[in-house]
Amino acid sequence: MSVGIRHDDLRRRNRAMVISAVRRAGQPSRTEIAATTGLSHSTISAISADLIQEGILTESKANEPTALKRGRPQIGLALNPEAAAVLTVVLSLNFLSVAVIDYAGQVIAEEQQRLDTLVMPRDELIGECMAIVRRRLQDPDLDVGSVARIAMGIQGITDSQARAMLWSPITPLTDIPFADMLETEFGIPATMENDCNMMAVALQWRDPDRYRDNFIAILLSHGIGMGLVLKGELFTGTHSSGGEFGHMIHRPGGALCRCGRRGCVEAYAGNYAIWRSAKKMSEDAEPVDVGDADMRALAVKARETDGPEREAYRRAGEALGFGLGSLFALIDPAPVAMVGVSAAAFDLIEPALREAIAQTAGGQHSKSISFDTEPNELPLIREGCAMRALTFVDQEIFAPGVQARASAGKNVA
Amino acid sequence: MSVGIRHDDLRRRNRAMVISAVRRAGQPSRTEIAATTGLSHSTISAISADLIQEGILTESKANEPTALKRGRPQIGLALNPEAAAVLTVVLSLNFLSVAVIDYAGQVIAEEQQRLDTLVMPRDELIGECMAIVRRRLQDPDLDVGSVARIAMGIQGITDSQARAMLWSPITPLTDIPFADMLETEFGIPATMENDCNMMAVALQWRDPDRYRDNFIAILLSHGIGMGLVLKGELFTGTHSSGGEFGHMIHRPGGALCRCGRRGCVEAYAGNYAIWRSAKKMSEDAEPVDVGDADMRALAVKARETDGPEREAYRRAGEALGFGLGSLFALIDPAPVAMVGVSAAAFDLIEPALREAIAQTAGGQHSKSISFDTEPNELPLIREGCAMRALTFVDQEIFAPGVQARASAGKNVA
DNA sequence: GGCTTTTTTTCGAGCCTCAAAAAAATAGTG
DNA sequence: CACTATTTTTTTGAGGCTCGAAAAAAAGCC
């Protein structure tokens, strides 16, 4: 079962601890690191000396004259941006974007591209993805050797090993092992991540106080997705990437869902469902893509007049509230972040949503549940991919992977 | 956030590892322990020498002539039964039971008692619990000082700190801080555990291969409860003990539930709900207690004729399947153990249950979901409490708690 | 310039784990 | 019964890691 702690693991773990402390805190001094990690000053001193010597950390000379205090001034430690780089690929509906990020987390290059994901044949879709990555990697300003990891994010279901896209709403294609493809093509370790999970990862980094142990990120867009963090860790199932929140059954035999079943939450709360309902179309009407601009216009109209548009949002709220209620019945209430176009219309959704939650077992706490909204999911997804890739690198640089440590130490004389 | 590993933690953790390996394996040799923990033989040798010297482990002289092999025969290591003892208290409907268990996990004394939990006033209920514990602790055969922990299990909701019973179906009383009461009364560390969680813990010990990382224990009794294990650890929420599976809303505005709301899963699948439905009573009828014998008779009748009894079980299956489907939509399918009287009637429940699951998002895998049944919940709950208490002791004996180590070492000359 | 304060580094001690060798305990073999 | 082969357990020495205390470094203060 769980394995004992070997003696050499100790240093490895404490190195990880120091790197992670620096990544979180920005420019902590050695003393601060000692305080947060609970390790002694001498240990921190020794480890950080190693890390600096290996080119992973740098002493930030930017000795900004902080509150002039007595005593020897603290020397901030920072991640060396040149220690490594990671590449993120985000594939979403009709849109492909790539970014190169340095070890300190700064975007150093990016490229975006429109493409018709819904109709592209398999080879072409894969080809475009590979091509855009290749262009970024061939950038003369970039030291290709420093790119240590690729994280690709996609809307849809990925396998639990983070290797392949199993199914996605943005394409009829299924089972594309993007991670393996990227690895064989570029020789760089890669993973295939679910978009909602990456949103959750990004939230954890953006606001660690609020999003710490248990929280939920819900994507309100064309489809409804969820990223679930339990006990501070992303919860991914044993089979696939994560919770099919959008496909919980709200009304058995109800409205037609994009997935082919009936009555799913998404069939009431997805963009197409709200649109369908607002336009008084049949619940059996085939789901269609609705642009973000159209959705925003719909929300405006719903706020203006109490017509079918407002009713559509109300029903969406009801469905979402139902799903959240079930979730809270199983797992305790936790902060919820609503992300995506419809999050901008959360004012229209919230009343019915809270009402629905209040009727469920978790409902006792329904008043105390707090919602954040973030209308733009793409930056979050990219941020999550970047952080995921960077933390992987953090763990490879100090890990037994000798080659990783060697390449990181390239700055050493 | 997470704290660094101090140097002395290493030994502590590896000691824990060894103790846990022995508890799991029964009578492993040092070589086996080395293999399962991944630590070197010398380390295991050193640690086990310590543990033996402190009276925590013993070399089992019962050198049962295993497969006669060449070479120096292995010496089995076992937990020293006298190293400590724990006490379990299980309070269920009209029934109170206490057991004293030695460090090796054997029951060395027990006592059971009927009492009218539903009508007892607060003082009396608490008094009876304290009295039965006191009687056991005053047993002249027992070295009171060796009792290192009390674990109390109860049907109902406990707080997430495992200190108090917040609400229980077995009594109208609420908010009884049993753990604190036991601690102040007897000076022994105590916890207040939820019955379904303890069932899950027990299953994990009974069949670790089957119930390892993710699984679900569902109590089908008067009420419906759930114990959820995720990533090998009991999942307990931030507020209360765990999932209110039984109170997920199956049919909004539907049958009257014991909790006062309508349409809960329990209002279709609890004993009283099945009874109500089988007897063609109104769905608004006040929930009543149904004895186990009556429930068994009901199941017999349902098997004999296709009447309202069979339909009642079918509807119970539907409600349970609905709840499980939602659960599987959020969290991947996992083995399910059905525990309690109605688990003995699972043959009547299963078809409708599977059908309901198949209609949900997690339903793809519905065929592969496996169910175990265990009609008797009490032994499981007691076993879970015992294991929980014992693992606490495991962690206190080696932990910095110097006094714990000292008292465990009482056998030393 | 000397003193105080705070941070960082250095150094020796104490543990812990590991690998290798030694010791122990038994089965097979003639 | 003596001897060898085999396997488990213990011992031993080496190497590393962390810690606490002391020293060194780097500022502000007077």
Side-chain angles (χ1 to χ4, degrees):
Chain A
M1 192 142 298
S2 54
V3 80
I5 302 176
R6 313 282 298 278
H7 198 231
D8 37 334
D9 281 355
L10 207 94
R11 200 39 176 303
R12 202 174 54 75
R13 293 205 198 194
N14 285 341
R15 280 171 68 104
M17 206 65 62
V18 171
I19 295 177
S20 145
V22 175
R23 189 174 289 288
R24 264 171 229 282
Q27 287 207 349
S29 68
R30 290 171 175 79
T31 312
E32 279 177 64
I33 298 175
T36 58
T37 59
L39 296 169
S40 72
H41 286 193
S42 23
T43 304
I44 301 300
S45 191
I47 292 177
S48 50
D50 282 1
L51 292 173
I52 289 170
Q53 205 259 325
E54 291 170 32
I56 298 168
L57 298 185
T58 51
E59 292 192 337
S60 70
K61 291 300 163 193
N63 218 344
E64 85 279 7
T66 47
L68 286 183
K69 284 188 307 182
R70 274 192 152 186
R72 180 171 174 172
Q74 303 189 359
I75 306 169
L77 293 178
L79 300 167
N80 179 4
E82 294 172 23
V86 298
L87 192 143
T88 64
V89 187
V90 178
L91 181 57
S92 45
L93 186 64
N94 297 333
F95 197 73
L96 176 61
S97 82
V98 171
V100 182
I101 289 131
D102 69 25
Y103 187 59
Q106 294 301 308
V107 176
I108 50 181
E110 54 184 318
E111 182 175 343
Q112 308 180 338
Q113 180 184 344
R114 286 199 54 83
L115 69 178
D116 287 328
T117 52
L118 282 169
V119 297
M120 286 175 88
R122 188 180 174 96
D123 290 348
E124 207 173 311
L125 181 67
I126 295 167
E128 288 291 343
C129 290
M130 295 297 152
I132 196 172
V133 173
R134 188 175 303 110
R135 278 200 298 279
R136 282 302 105 214
L137 288 176
Q138 285 172 350
D139 186 333
D141 294 345
L142 179 71
D143 173 11
V144 192
S146 72
V147 178
R149 186 113 199 162
I150 301 175
M152 180 164 178
I154 195 168
Q155 222 184 97
I157 302 178
T158 58
D159 71 323
S160 58
Q161 264 71 55
R163 308 302 312 162
M165 178 208 92
L166 300 178
W167 176 88
S168 171
I170 67 164
T171 168
L173 307 170
T174 58
D175 299 294
I176 308 179
F178 274 116
D180 296 331
M181 288 170 171
L182 288 163
E183 283 186 3
T184 52
E185 183 79 19
F186 304 108
I188 300 171
T191 55
M192 169 91 261
E193 310 283 354
N194 168 271
D195 59 340
C196 293
N197 286 343
M198 291 305 98
M199 282 167 21
V201 169
L203 288 168
Q204 215 171 12
W205 279 99
R206 276 197 185 175
D207 190 350
D209 285 333
R210 186 171 171 70
Y211 301 109
R212 184 185 299 271
D213 290 341
N214 299 322
F215 67 90
I216 304 162
I218 291 184
L219 177 63
L220 303 178
S221 174
H222 188 60
I224 305 293
M226 179 185 73
L228 184 61
V229 171
L230 300 178
K231 294 184 182 175
E233 270 181 51
L234 213 48
F235 183 81
T236 51
T238 44
H239 292 76
S240 62
S241 53
E244 286 307 296
F245 175 78
H247 301 285
M248 291 178 73
I249 304 296
H250 174 211
R251 298 210 177 146
L256 181 65
C257 178
R258 204 176 36 162
C259 71
R261 278 185 293 267
R262 290 183 165 277
C264 301
V265 168
E266 186 181 298
Y268 295 91
N271 283 356
Y272 65 88
I274 297 176
W275 184 264
R276 192 165 61 183
S277 169
K279 299 297 175 189
K280 297 204 162 192
M281 294 159 71
S282 155
E283 286 194 339
D284 298 341
E286 199 60 33
V288 290
D289 280 326
V290 186
D292 286 5
D294 286 338
M295 287 307 292
R296 276 191 289 268
L298 201 68
V300 169
K301 188 147 188 205
R303 287 193 195 93
E304 277 169 2
T305 57
D306 188 358
E309 293 84 4
R310 192 177 292 180
E311 173 65 11
Y313 278 106
R314 201 198 58 74
R315 293 180 62 185
E318 195 179 73
L320 290 169
F322 160 83
L324 280 176
S326 294
L327 181 51
F328 289 158
L330 296 167
I331 288 162
D332 254 22
V336 180
M338 294 286 182
V339 185
V341 220
S342 295
F346 190 63
D347 54 317
L348 295 162
I349 293 172
E350 188 170 2
L353 186 150
R354 285 199 184 267
E355 199 178 322
I357 290 180
Q359 286 169 19
T360 65
Q364 305 96 293
H365 315 287
S366 68
K367 290 262 178 0
S368 69
I369 300 165
S370 66
F371 296 94
D372 272 351
T373 59
E374 167 59 56
N376 209 348
E377 72 263 28
L378 251 76
L380 263 187
I381 297 171
R382 194 178 72 184
E383 228 174 287
C385 285
M387 291 320 299
R388 176 133 278 221
L390 286 171
T391 37
F392 269 122
V393 173
D394 286 350
Q395 284 171 22
E396 272 167 27
I397 281 175
F398 54 69
V402 187
Q403 73 291 354
R405 196 178 291 193
S407 81
K410 68 188 159 56
N411 295 346
V412 185
Chain B
M1 189 143 297
S2 53
V3 80
I5 302 176
R6 312 283 298 278
H7 196 233
D8 37 334
D9 281 356
L10 206 95
R11 200 36 174 307
R12 203 173 54 75
R13 293 204 197 194
N14 285 342
R15 280 172 68 105
M17 206 66 61
V18 171
I19 295 178
S20 146
V22 175
R23 189 173 288 289
R24 264 171 228 283
Q27 288 207 349
S29 70
R30 291 171 175 78
T31 313
E32 278 176 65
I33 298 174
T36 57
T37 60
L39 297 168
S40 73
H41 285 193
S42 22
T43 304
I44 301 300
S45 190
I47 291 178
S48 50
D50 282 0
L51 292 173
I52 290 171
Q53 205 257 326
E54 291 170 30
I56 298 168
L57 297 186
T58 52
E59 291 192 339
S60 70
K61 292 298 161 194
N63 219 343
E64 85 278 9
T66 47
L68 287 182
K69 283 187 307 181
R70 273 194 153 186
R72 179 172 175 172
Q74 305 189 357
I75 306 169
L77 293 178
L79 300 167
N80 179 5
E82 295 172 23
V86 298
L87 193 143
T88 64
V89 186
V90 178
L91 180 58
S92 46
L93 187 64
N94 297 333
F95 197 72
L96 175 61
S97 83
V98 171
V100 182
I101 289 131
D102 68 24
Y103 189 60
Q106 294 301 309
V107 176
I108 50 182
E110 54 185 318
E111 182 176 344
Q112 307 181 337
Q113 180 184 344
R114 286 197 56 82
L115 70 179
D116 286 329
T117 53
L118 282 169
V119 297
M120 285 176 89
R122 188 180 173 96
D123 289 348
E124 207 173 311
L125 181 68
I126 295 169
E128 287 291 343
C129 291
M130 295 297 151
I132 196 172
V133 173
R134 189 173 304 109
R135 278 200 297 280
R136 280 303 106 215
L137 288 176
Q138 285 171 349
D139 186 333
D141 295 346
L142 178 71
D143 172 12
V144 191
S146 72
V147 178
R149 186 113 197 162
I150 301 176
M152 179 164 179
I154 195 168
Q155 222 184 97
I157 302 178
T158 59
D159 72 322
S160 58
Q161 264 71 56
R163 308 302 310 161
M165 178 209 92
L166 300 179
W167 177 89
S168 171
I170 67 164
T171 169
L173 307 170
T174 57
D175 299 295
I176 308 180
F178 275 116
D180 297 330
M181 289 172 171
L182 288 164
E183 284 186 3
T184 52
E185 182 80 18
F186 303 108
I188 299 171
T191 54
M192 169 89 261
E193 311 281 355
N194 168 271
D195 59 339
C196 293
N197 286 343
M198 291 306 99
M199 282 166 22
V201 169
L203 288 168
Q204 214 171 11
W205 279 98
R206 276 197 185 175
D207 190 350
D209 286 334
R210 185 170 172 72
Y211 301 108
R212 184 185 298 271
D213 290 342
N214 299 323
F215 67 89
I216 304 161
I218 291 183
L219 177 63
L220 303 178
S221 176
H222 186 59
I224 305 292
M226 179 183 75
L228 184 61
V229 172
L230 300 177
K231 295 185 182 175
E233 271 180 51
L234 211 49
F235 184 81
T236 51
T238 45
H239 292 76
S240 61
S241 54
E244 285 308 294
F245 176 78
H247 301 285
M248 292 179 71
I249 304 296
H250 175 211
R251 296 209 179 150
L256 181 64
C257 178
R258 203 175 37 162
C259 71
R261 278 185 293 266
R262 291 183 164 277
C264 301
V265 168
E266 187 181 297
Y268 295 91
N271 282 357
Y272 66 86
I274 297 175
W275 184 263
R276 193 165 61 183
S277 170
K279 298 297 175 191
K280 297 206 163 191
M281 294 158 74
S282 156
E283 285 194 341
D284 298 340
E286 201 58 33
V288 291
D289 280 326
V290 186
D292 285 5
D294 286 339
M295 287 307 294
R296 277 190 288 269
L298 201 68
V300 170
K301 187 147 187 207
R303 286 194 194 91
E304 276 169 2
T305 58
D306 188 358
E309 293 84 6
R310 191 176 293 182
E311 172 65 11
Y313 279 106
R314 200 198 58 74
R315 292 181 62 186
E318 194 178 72
L320 289 169
F322 160 83
L324 280 175
S326 293
L327 182 52
F328 289 158
L330 296 167
I331 289 162
D332 255 21
V336 179
M338 294 288 182
V339 185
V341 220
S342 295
F346 191 63
D347 55 316
L348 294 162
I349 292 172
E350 188 170 5
L353 187 150
R354 284 198 184 269
E355 198 178 322
I357 290 180
Q359 286 169 20
T360 66
Q364 304 94 296
H365 316 286
S366 68
K367 290 262 178 0
S368 69
I369 300 165
S370 65
F371 296 94
D372 271 352
T373 59
E374 167 58 55
N376 209 347
E377 72 262 27
L378 251 74
L380 262 186
I381 297 171
R382 194 178 71 184
E383 228 174 288
C385 284
M387 291 320 299
R388 174 132 280 222
L390 287 170
T391 38
F392 269 120
V393 173
D394 287 350
Q395 285 171 25
E396 273 166 28
I397 281 175
F398 52 71
V402 187
Q403 73 291 354
R405 196 177 292 191
S407 82
K410 67 189 157 57
N411 296 346
V412 186

